[in-house]
Amino acid sequence: RWDIFMLTLILYSAVSVPIHIGFSIESDGTSLWYLEVSMSMAFVADLVLSFHTAYLDSEGRFVRDRKLIAQKYFRGWLCVNQL
């Protein structure tokens, strides 16, 4: 469910950001601004949760050590998630 929620936010951003930039639309003080701030907080929450999510190693065991999770995340999906 979380991934579908995040996908929805990403799709909204993929459409709205070019429109905002292309037409110089400001969303200050509107309900749209609150939506966009909420979306940014959701993206930050997703980033934090990614550092606390166990993964399966090559032997099929869950790795729960946060240092190892962070190392794997930095080597892999961190750059993709920040695009």
Side-chain angles (χ1 to χ4, degrees), residues 8-9 11-13 15 20 26 28 30 34 41 52-53 61-62 65 67 69 71-72 75-77 82-83:
T8 304
L9 296 182
L11 291 174
Y12 173 81
S13 293
V15 172
H20 284 272
E26 297 285 332
D28 294 337
T30 65
Y34 291 106
M41 290 190 298
H52 296 284
T53 303
R61 295 178 296 188
F62 279 106
D65 182 7
K67 182 178 178 183
I69 292 169
Q71 288 174 352
K72 181 174 175 67
R75 284 190 305 246
W77 286 101
Q82 291 189 0
L83 294 177

Side-chain angles (χ1 to χ4, degrees), residues 19-55:
I19 291 172
H20 284 272
I21 292 171
F23 296 106
S24 298
I25 298 173
E26 297 285 332
S27 58
D28 294 337
T30 65
S31 58
L32 185 60
W33 181 84
Y34 291 106
L35 172 68
E36 291 173 357
V37 169
S38 299
M39 288 174 47
S40 294
M41 290 190 298
F43 288 133
V44 169
D46 185 54
L47 181 67
V48 170
L49 287 173
S50 294
F51 281 100
H52 296 284
T53 303
Y55 67 91

